[in-house]
């Protein structure tokens, strides 16, 4: 494989070879690092690494095999209902569906994964299927960004490895650039999106009709996200260089040039969304996660792939700004682009987990280790990284769609440090995926990491990225049939060969207008640094950085760990935070008065305080709602693997306070449960299924309770409703005293309910567990079941009961510890005759078991924070949110005034820009 023509580490002189090491795996910094490692986490034997690699292969087979068997040619597998997701045939999930273009998305996204995982024969079959079956001319509106990274990237990655295999002489001998031709066809289909004065693409395009024609049903959008416009250059440049058609690279460069021009000049940051016609920032908050992430990634990688200095210069300028304003190690917190010392949020999103990996590629290892360690602590607490979590590590958005970013960073950090600790991290990821996300028909996204419930969704990026990074983490060079270091990973982990940097180079250069004539060499200081700087004669370097962060999540601070810490250390009083505010405290009132008055620091503190107040106030309202619950199917062949998200009831047994209820299910007669049951013998001692509608929930509960049921599941009568598309709600009482209802009642939308009803049709006996949080699955039980097919179903059930009851005891401690966290609240559902109460979007209350101390990086509490802690213990009960509720009234009136101030500030912001 040819070498690359990009820049060498630390050298402004173009070189050929070093990038081939740096680009794909950052191995340049690492190969030597690996060799200096001598102690720390126990080294992992070759056998164990191979075992884990094989486990990854088996998991991939499970995901890919089920997709091919049950979903293909649909875009994605729905792993709970075991069928394909076809756009238009399922209720719309909004923007997330814009990735689906009826082009067998998962197959295309999986192509190069097959080669990385050594499944060359399967790759050859898959390519033939793509060429035979995939139509890129569907009348469907798709996201330009998603289609680029997943489909164009997938086709180009497939092509890159197809030609590599062909050259090797065994496989793909028939291949004649057909995938590349498809990629080119798709590239031309995306080009009309760039028909704007700014050169920024429209966010969506109709594959058949393009933009703006009436039949296209798109082209009226005015805004796009920065990542959406800034994540094209790798695929578009590769397409240009592979084909010689320069237009693609030119368009992608123009969009990047425009974004660079529009950066906020005083901070060198970019906002989250931008107007594609005027170039005005629509959202002026800035971070490294959702909406911006891969814009930064592509600047650095464009430099690596294309060797164009201006991309590195831009990346370094942004990186300086990120490290100055957004990075608050180990946190990465969004700020305002024009007031970058002002945090824009008190929470982080899961997409930023890619950033440590990018920092490795940049060569800035210390903050990469710190952030990665913080994220790992969050994962250890919730099994997965929730979509968003607060600065004090509480769940903010509870979903987890099996995102690969953390695995990606783990892989890069292992390559950078050679520290076996990262292999152990990878092992945990594998275990958690198998334990909590694996279902009989693939892997299901987590609907709620707190309850362990699933969503009927397996995104294509799970196959494109997760398995690649996990496999590569444990693979030795000889386990892969080509040299991975000759390639760069796109944001979707598709592989593009580094030799593209020297191919058809002139065609793109002719239109480049770079404002840089000479590079400032100091910008290379931290690019691929000498390993002596990274690991100054200390093989335990990475471990020494991680160590102080070991308890960062368990001993988390309310918020702003570092900044509060820093100001306190420097002698200044830390700013008053909304969470700590007490209207009865004269000192607090005095501080409030000062805010917005004299100094700009006071004003900034004041603004932040107001924003926090508003956020806390709305969160507090949501937190008064009950959290969602879980219905876990425990009988054969589910064995606890399928967990459905369920709405709670405001009456009956509170599952967060009592042991879960386990039992076989039986349909009640009448099915609506609105009168005395005619089949009490069938529901006696069982969990009754009742249909929603025609009477109050409480009435249904009384009728099944009178018939001897030990619990009830109300199933929505709106056919097709699902928790994927409708907000969950809690079942309210009937306005009377409901203390007589002693059994637990849960609500399932129709789609989740039909999973149970289908199971009854297929297996007759279906046993479920009603709880506040799914209980551990028992793989041994499953193995026993598989190895003794002659076991009759009754035996199986008996075994399950005894095995599981042990299990329940074991997990019970844990569940009771975590039980009262968490209001996950989702919102309103239309009421019929049933009484419903809203559940707000999925935020949760503080975990009363969490230690709300303000820690420094050594995990110690500061004096001031201890004082605050004491106050909250004496004035509040154990749940800080409960006592927070007592203060709501005075704060509400303050908030009303402050809302006006915020509006004024926003006007001021506008004027400034
Ligand atoms: C992937 O599609 C890509 O990595 C993208 O850049 C953002 N993240 C998703 C997976 O989480």
């Amino acid at each position: 494989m040819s070498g690359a023509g990009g820049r060498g580490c630390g050298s402004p002189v173009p070189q050929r070879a070093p990038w081939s090491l740096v680009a794909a795996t950052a191995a340049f910094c690492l190969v030597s690092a690996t060799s200096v490692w001598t102690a720390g986490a126990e080294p992992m034997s070759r056998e164990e690494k191979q075992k884990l690699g094989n486990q990854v292969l088996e998991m991939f087979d499970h995901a890919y095999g089920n997709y091919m068997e049950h979903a293909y040619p649909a875009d994605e597998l729905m792993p709970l209902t075991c069928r394909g997701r076809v756009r238009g045939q399922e209720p719309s999930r909004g923007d997330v569906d814009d990735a689906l273009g009826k082009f067998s998305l998962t197959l295309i996204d999986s192509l190069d994964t097959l080669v990385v995982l050594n499944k060359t024969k399967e790759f050859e079959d898959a390519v033939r299927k793509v060429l035979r079956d995939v139509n890129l001319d569907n009348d469907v509106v798709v996201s330009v960004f998603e289609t680029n990274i997943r489909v164009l990237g997938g086709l180009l990655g497939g092509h890159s490895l197809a030609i590599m295999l062909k050259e090797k002489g065994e496989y793909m001998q028939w291949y004649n650039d057909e995938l590349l031709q498809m990629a080119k066809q798709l590239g031309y289909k995306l080009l009309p999106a760039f028909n704007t004065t700014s050169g920024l693409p429209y966010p969506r395009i109709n594959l058949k009709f393009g933009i703006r024609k009436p039949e296209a049903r798109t082209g009226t959008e005015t805004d796009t996200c920065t990542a959406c416009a800034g994540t094209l250059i790798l695929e578009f440049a590769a397409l240009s260089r592979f084909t010689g058609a320069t237009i693609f690279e030119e368009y992608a460069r123009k969009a990047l040039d425009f974004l660079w021009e529009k950066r906020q000049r005083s901070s060198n940051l970019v906002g989250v969304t931008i107007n594609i016609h005027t170039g005005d920032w629509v959202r002026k908050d800035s971070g490294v996660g959702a909406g911006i992430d891969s814009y930064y990634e592509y600047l650095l990688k464009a430099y690596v792939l294309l060797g164009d200095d201006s991309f590195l210069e831009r990346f370094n300028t942004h990186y300086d700004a990120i490290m100055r304003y957004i990075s608050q190690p180990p946190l990465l917190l969004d700020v305002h682009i024009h007031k970058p010392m002002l945090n824009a949020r008190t929470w982080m999103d899961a997409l930023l987990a890619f950033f440590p990996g990018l920092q490795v590629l940049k060569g800035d290892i210390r903050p990469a280790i710190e952030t990665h360690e913080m994220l790992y602590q969050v994962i250890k607490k919730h099994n997965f990284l929730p979509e968003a979590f607060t600065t004090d590590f509480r769940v903010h958005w509870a979903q987890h769609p099996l995102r690969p970013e953390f695995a990606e960073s783990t892989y890069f950090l292992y390559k950078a440090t050679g520290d076996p600790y990262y292999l152990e991290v990878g092992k945990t990821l594998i275990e958690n995926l198998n334990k909590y996300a694996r279902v009989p028909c693939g892997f299901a996204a987590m609907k709620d990491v707190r309850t362990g419930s699933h969503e009927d969704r397996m995104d294509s990026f799970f196959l494109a990225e997760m398995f690649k990074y996990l496999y590569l983490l444990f693979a030795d060079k000889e386990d892969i049939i080509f040299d991975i270091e000759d390639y760069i990973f796109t944001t979707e982990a598709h592989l593009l060969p580094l030799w593209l940097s020297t191919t058809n180079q002139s065609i793109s250069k002719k239109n480049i207008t770079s404002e840089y004539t000479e590079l400032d060499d100091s910008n290379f200081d931290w690019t691929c640094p000498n390993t002596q700087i990274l690991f100054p004669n200390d093989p335990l370097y990475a471990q020494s950085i991680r160590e102080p962060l070991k308890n960062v999540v368990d001993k988390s601070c309310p918020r702003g760990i570092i900044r509060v810490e820093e100001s306190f250390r420097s002698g200044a009083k830390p700013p008053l935070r909304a969470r700590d505010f007490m209207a009865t405290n004269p000192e607090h009132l005095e501080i409030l008065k000062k805010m917005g008055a004299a100094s700009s620091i006071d004003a900034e503190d004041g603004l932040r305080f107001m924003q926090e107040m508003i956020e806390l106030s709305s969160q507090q309202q949501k937190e008064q709602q009950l959290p969602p619950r879980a219905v876990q199917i425990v009988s054969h062949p589910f064995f606890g693997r399928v967990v459905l998200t369920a709405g709670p009831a405001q009456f009956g047994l509170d599952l967060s306070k009592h042991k879960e209820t386990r039992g076989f299910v039986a349909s009640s007669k009448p099915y609506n449960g609105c009168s005395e049951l005619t089949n009490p013998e069938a529901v006696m001692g069982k969990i009754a299924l009742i249909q929603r509608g025609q009477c109050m929930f409480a009435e249904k509960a009384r009728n099944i309770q009178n018939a001897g049921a030990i619990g009830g599941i109300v199933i929505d009568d709106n056919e097709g409703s699902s928790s994927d598309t409708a907000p969950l709600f809690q079942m309210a009482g009937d306005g009377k005293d409901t203390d007589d209802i002693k059994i637990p009642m849960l609500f399932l939308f129709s789609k989740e309910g039909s999973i149970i009803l289908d199971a009854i049709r297929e297996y007759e006996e279906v046993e479920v567990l009603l709880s506040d949080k799914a209980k551990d699955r028992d793989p041994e039980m499953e193995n026993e079941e598989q190895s003794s097919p002659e076991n009759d179903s009754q035996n199986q059930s008996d075994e399950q009961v005894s095995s599981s009851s042990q299990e329940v005891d074991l997990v019970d401690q844990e569940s009771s510890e975590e039980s009262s966290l968490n209001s996950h609240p989702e919102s309103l559902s239309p009421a019929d005759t049933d009484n419903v109460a809203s559940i707000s979007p999925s935020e949760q209350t503080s975990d009363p078991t969490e230690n709300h101390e303000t820690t420094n990086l050594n995990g110690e509490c500061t004096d001031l924070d201890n004082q605050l802690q004491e106050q909250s213990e004496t004035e509040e009960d154990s749940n800080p949110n409960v006592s927070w509720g007592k203060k709501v009234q005075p704060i509400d009136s303050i908030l009303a005034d402050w809302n006006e101030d915020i509006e004024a500030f926003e006007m001021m912001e506008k004027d400034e820009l």
Side-chain angles (χ1 to χ4, degrees):
M1 189 59 59
S2 340
R7 292 256 180 219
C9 291
S11 164
V13 183
Q15 296 177 351
R16 291 185 65 80
W19 274 121
S20 67
L21 291 170
V22 176
T25 60
F28 181 77
C29 310
L30 306 242
V31 173
S32 0
T34 311
S35 63
V36 296
W37 184 90
T38 55
E42 283 297 304
M44 193 178 271
S45 68
R46 169 98 174 117
E47 290 67 42
E48 179 152 25
K49 282 168 70 181
Q50 271 172 346
K51 198 175 128 209
L52 288 162
N54 288 336
Q55 228 176 314
V56 176
L57 293 177
E58 187 280 328
M59 290 162 72
F60 174 82
D61 288 344
H62 183 65
Y64 182 73
N66 274 296
Y67 165 73
M68 290 309 288
E69 189 178 343
H70 301 289
Y72 181 77
D75 283 319
E76 286 180 344
L77 170 72
M78 296 167 70
L80 297 183
T81 45
C82 206
R83 61 203 164 95
R85 181 182 293 282
V86 179
R87 201 155 162 205
Q89 288 179 19
E90 302 295 328
S92 166
R93 300 173 299 168
D95 290 356
V96 72
D97 280 343
D98 290 343
L100 312 177
K102 301 188 177 176
F103 35 35
S104 302
L105 177 65
T106 301
L107 179 66
I108 294 177
D109 228 3
S110 303
L111 286 177
D112 52 9
T113 307
L114 288 164
V115 185
V116 172
L117 269 52
N118 247 321
K119 296 179 178 291
T120 325
K121 177 76 189 56
E122 289 89 332
F123 172 71
E124 191 146 9
D125 291 347
V127 173
R128 285 188 200 279
K129 285 198 174 74
V130 170
L131 301 180
R132 187 191 67 197
D133 299 340
V134 172
N135 177 13
L136 297 173
D137 197 40
N138 299 309
D139 175 12
V140 50
V141 176
V142 292
S143 151
V144 172
F145 165 79
E146 297 291 358
T147 307
N148 174 59
I149 65 168
R150 302 198 203 192
V151 186
L152 189 56
L155 293 170
L156 290 170
H159 171 70
S160 302
L161 298 189
I163 55 178
M164 177 276 295
L165 288 171
K166 187 176 179 182
E167 201 179 305
K168 279 184 180 283
E170 193 183 346
Y171 291 96
M172 300 300 290
Q173 296 306 300
W174 52 271
Y175 182 71
N176 214 4
D177 292 352
E178 290 88 346
L179 289 176
L180 182 61
Q181 292 318 315
M182 282 183 81
K184 193 170 170 188
Q185 187 197 349
L186 182 60
Y188 279 119
K189 284 187 164 298
L190 296 180
L191 284 187
F194 294 79
N195 191 8
T196 57
T197 43
S198 65
L200 298 179
Y202 280 95
R204 293 183 193 84
I205 194 159
N206 185 305
L207 284 175
K208 193 178 183 70
F209 298 112
I211 295 270
R212 274 196 296 219
K213 295 191 202 96
E215 63 270 42
R217 304 184 305 280
T218 188
T220 52
E221 301 96 335
T222 53
D223 308 337
T224 197
C225 73
T226 300
C228 303
T231 311
L232 297 149
I233 186 70
L234 294 186
E235 293 82 1
F236 273 45
L239 185 55
S240 283
R241 291 174 182 225
F242 270 132
T243 62
T246 59
I247 191 165
F248 304 108
E249 185 169 339
E250 284 162 14
Y251 275 38
R253 278 177 183 270
K254 198 173 160 209
L256 276 181
D257 290 347
F258 190 84
L259 288 174
W260 173 245
E261 280 302 308
K262 289 291 166 186
R263 74 194 182 281
Q264 217 289 330
R265 300 293 172 129
S266 57
S267 66
N268 283 322
L269 293 172
V270 289
V272 174
T273 48
I274 187 165
N275 184 305
I276 54 176
H277 304 300
T278 64
D280 291 339
W281 290 110
V282 179
R283 273 186 54 192
K284 295 164 207 143
D285 40 326
S286 185
V288 296
I292 303 184
D293 47 3
S294 44
Y295 161 65
Y296 294 134
E297 179 183 0
Y298 269 35
L299 284 179
L300 182 55
K301 289 184 175 176
Y303 169 67
V304 174
L305 184 67
L306 308 177
D308 183 337
D309 301 337
S310 70
F311 291 128
L312 180 61
E313 188 85 23
R314 290 177 194 181
F315 175 79
N316 280 334
T317 304
H318 285 312
Y319 189 78
D320 277 354
I322 292 167
M323 296 314 284
R324 181 167 309 156
Y325 303 121
I326 293 169
S327 170
Q328 300 173 41
L331 312 182
L332 290 158
L333 275 181
D334 285 21
V335 298
H336 295 277
I337 54 176
H338 56 291
K339 286 204 179 297
M341 293 305 287
L342 204 59
N343 288 341
R345 285 180 190 167
T346 53
W347 46 272
M348 290 165 276
D349 63 64
L351 285 163
L352 62 73
F354 90 103
F355 199 67
L358 189 65
Q359 290 180 306
V360 170
L361 189 56
K362 157 81 178 155
D364 200 359
I365 307 290
R366 171 183 273 275
I369 292 171
E370 289 170 338
T371 299
H372 179 277
E373 181 59 25
M374 176 272 290
L375 295 169
Y376 188 44
Q377 301 292 330
V378 178
I379 289 174
K380 283 203 281 194
K381 192 174 170 93
H382 300 290
N383 302 324
F384 298 98
L385 204 55
E387 274 296 74
F389 50 95
T390 60
T391 48
D392 47 341
F393 311 111
R394 290 169 302 129
V395 172
H396 188 63
W397 293 339
Q399 309 93 304
H400 170 76
L402 308 182
R403 290 197 188 280
E405 283 78 4
F406 183 77
E408 174 184 353
S409 285
T410 305
Y411 165 66
F412 280 108
L413 269 168
Y414 177 60
K415 290 292 168 187
T417 61
D419 186 340
Y421 175 81
Y422 295 107
L423 297 176
E424 296 297 333
V425 172
K427 187 176 171 187
T428 305
L429 299 183
I430 290 174
E431 282 167 4
N432 287 351
L433 281 171
N434 276 326
K435 206 163 168 188
Y436 303 109
R438 191 177 178 128
V439 294
C441 189
F443 289 83
M446 304 308 293
K447 174 87 187 159
D448 188 317
V449 296
R450 296 158 301 162
T451 60
S453 60
H454 292 132
E455 199 173 338
D456 200 3
R457 163 176 182 190
M458 185 177 83
D459 290 74
S460 69
F461 54 67
F462 183 56
L463 288 96
E465 300 191 60
M466 183 72 90
F467 294 108
K468 242 180 230 149
Y469 289 123
L470 287 178
Y471 184 74
L472 289 171
L473 178 65
F474 298 106
D476 285 336
K477 223 173 164 49
E478 57 271 25
D479 296 327
I480 309 161
I481 54 176
F482 61 100
D483 191 349
I484 195 80
E485 288 161 14
D486 287 339
Y487 296 80
I488 190 163
F489 292 106
T490 69
T491 192
E492 188 79 356
H494 293 308
L495 294 171
L496 299 175
L498 288 165
W499 55 257
L500 285 174
S501 63
T502 50
T503 305
N504 284 329
Q505 206 177 6
S506 55
I507 58 173
S508 57
K509 289 261 156 141
K510 70 177 184 224
N511 284 327
I512 296 172
T513 48
S514 170
E515 62 194 78
Y516 303 106
T517 46
E518 204 171 308
L519 272 178
D520 171 5
D521 286 358
S522 65
N523 269 327
F524 289 100
D525 283 355
W526 285 96
T527 302
C528 299
N530 185 312
T531 51
Q532 291 305 305
I533 299 171
L534 283 175
F535 306 97
N537 303 320
D538 183 1
L540 296 176
Y541 177 77
Q543 198 196 359
S544 68
I545 295 173
R546 284 193 306 268
E547 203 48 45
L549 297 166
K550 279 279 182 266
N551 297 321
V552 73
V553 167
D554 286 338
K555 291 197 172 173
S556 63
C557 318
R559 61 177 45 93
I561 298 173
I562 306 305
R563 284 188 178 167
V564 170
E565 215 26 54
E566 276 169 2
S567 58
F568 190 60
R569 251 189 247 124
S570 67
K573 266 208 156 187
L576 177 61
R577 312 308 300 252
R579 184 193 181 99
D580 309 318
F581 174 74
M582 284 184 295
T584 49
N585 183 326
E587 201 193 338
H588 287 180
L589 291 173
E590 190 51 37
I591 296 172
L592 272 193
K593 266 194 220 155
K594 276 179 65 189
M595 287 176 177
S599 71
S600 63
I601 295 177
D602 284 340
E604 287 206 353
D605 284 350
L607 182 73
R608 180 183 51 211
F609 185 87
M610 287 186 270
Q611 286 171 329
E612 287 177 3
M613 274 297 199
I614 287 170
E615 204 174 301
L616 280 175
S617 171
S618 71
Q619 193 168 323
Q620 187 261 329
Q621 283 170 14
K622 292 165 194 163
E623 286 167 354
Q624 288 171 345
Q625 310 299 334
L626 294 171
R629 306 289 187 224
V631 174
Q632 188 171 16
I633 312 181
V634 292
S635 50
H636 163 87
F638 302 95
F639 300 113
R641 291 196 174 282
V642 171
V643 185
L644 309 170
T645 197
Q650 289 177 341
F651 52 85
L653 187 86
D654 181 349
L655 288 161
S656 69
K657 296 198 183 116
H658 296 85
K659 233 178 172 182
E660 61 284 344
T661 297
R662 182 177 180 137
F664 288 91
V665 293
S667 291
S668 58
K669 278 188 188 152
Y671 188 31
N672 64 25
C674 289
S675 53
E676 192 181 334
L677 297 203
T678 57
N679 63 338
E681 69 295 339
V683 299
M684 167 79 74
K686 295 194 176 160
I687 293 171
L689 303 179
I690 330 129
Q691 192 178 40
R692 181 186 183 186
Q694 288 165 27
C695 61
M696 308 292 265
F697 292 123
E699 199 176 332
K700 295 172 194 284
R702 288 192 182 97
N703 285 328
I704 61 169
Q705 181 171 279
N706 290 341
I710 57 168
I713 299 174
V714 179
I715 296 176
D716 198 8
D717 57 340
N718 297 315
E719 215 183 309
S721 69
S722 139
S723 66
D724 299 349
T725 49
L728 206 59
F729 62 84
Q730 49 185 333
M731 296 183 285
D734 53 5
K736 300 178 206 143
D737 184 2
T738 48
D739 284 354
D740 57 315
I741 303 173
K742 306 286 183 208
I743 58 173
M745 294 290 292
L746 294 182
F747 175 85
L748 290 179
F749 279 114
S750 145
K751 189 180 149 190
E752 283 84 4
S754 61
I755 291 173
I756 296 188
L757 297 173
D758 289 348
I760 296 176
R761 269 187 285 280
E762 201 162 343
Y763 308 106
E764 288 178 21
E765 298 274 84
V766 175
E767 192 180 20
V768 299
L769 196 68
L770 312 183
S771 66
D772 63 331
K773 186 177 183 192
K775 305 306 168 202
D776 281 356
R777 294 75 173 149
D778 186 348
E780 278 181 17
M781 185 184 352
E782 191 172 349
N783 292 341
E784 272 172 37
E785 158 72 13
Q786 278 161 2
S787 59
S788 18
E790 69 281 4
N791 282 353
D792 64 25
S793 65
Q794 191 49 51
N795 281 342
Q796 289 160 15
S797 306
D798 293 348
E799 283 167 21
Q800 282 159 226
V801 171
S802 65
S803 168
S804 299
S805 46
Q806 276 176 357
E807 189 189 314
V808 163
D809 288 344
L810 280 177
V811 293
D812 208 41
Q813 286 174 347
E814 187 199 331
S815 83
S816 65
E817 272 172 22
E818 297 202 8
S819 60
S820 58
L821 339 162
N822 324 335
S823 66
H824 167 116
E826 298 195 286
S827 89
L828 285 181
S829 168
D832 45 24
T833 51
D834 305 317
N835 234 8
V836 298
S838 68
I839 305 184
S840 55
S842 57
E843 276 109 327
Q844 70 163 62
T845 60
S846 296
D847 181 347
T849 64
E850 278 175 5
N851 189 351
H852 287 287
E853 291 167 337
T854 298
T855 44
N856 59 25
L857 286 181
N858 296 318
E860 299 157 348
C861 289
T862 65
D863 290 345
L864 173 89
D865 299 317
N866 280 335
Q867 286 165 20
L868 292 175
Q869 174 72 2
E870 277 164 27
Q871 279 174 355
S872 61
E873 278 168 4
T874 51
E875 291 166 23
E876 302 172 355
D877 68 15
S878 62
N879 183 343
N881 293 290
V882 173
S883 60
W884 170 242
K886 290 175 195 156
K887 294 183 221 123
V888 153
Q889 213 33 58
I891 287 164
D892 275 352
S893 56
I894 297 170
L895 283 180
D897 294 344
W898 286 353
N899 262 323
E900 281 175 29
D901 291 352
I902 292 226
E903 275 164 31
F905 181 82
E906 279 168 359
M907 280 308 292
M908 185 179 88
E909 224 180 3
K910 226 177 183 171
D911 294 347
E912 262 183 43
L913 290 171

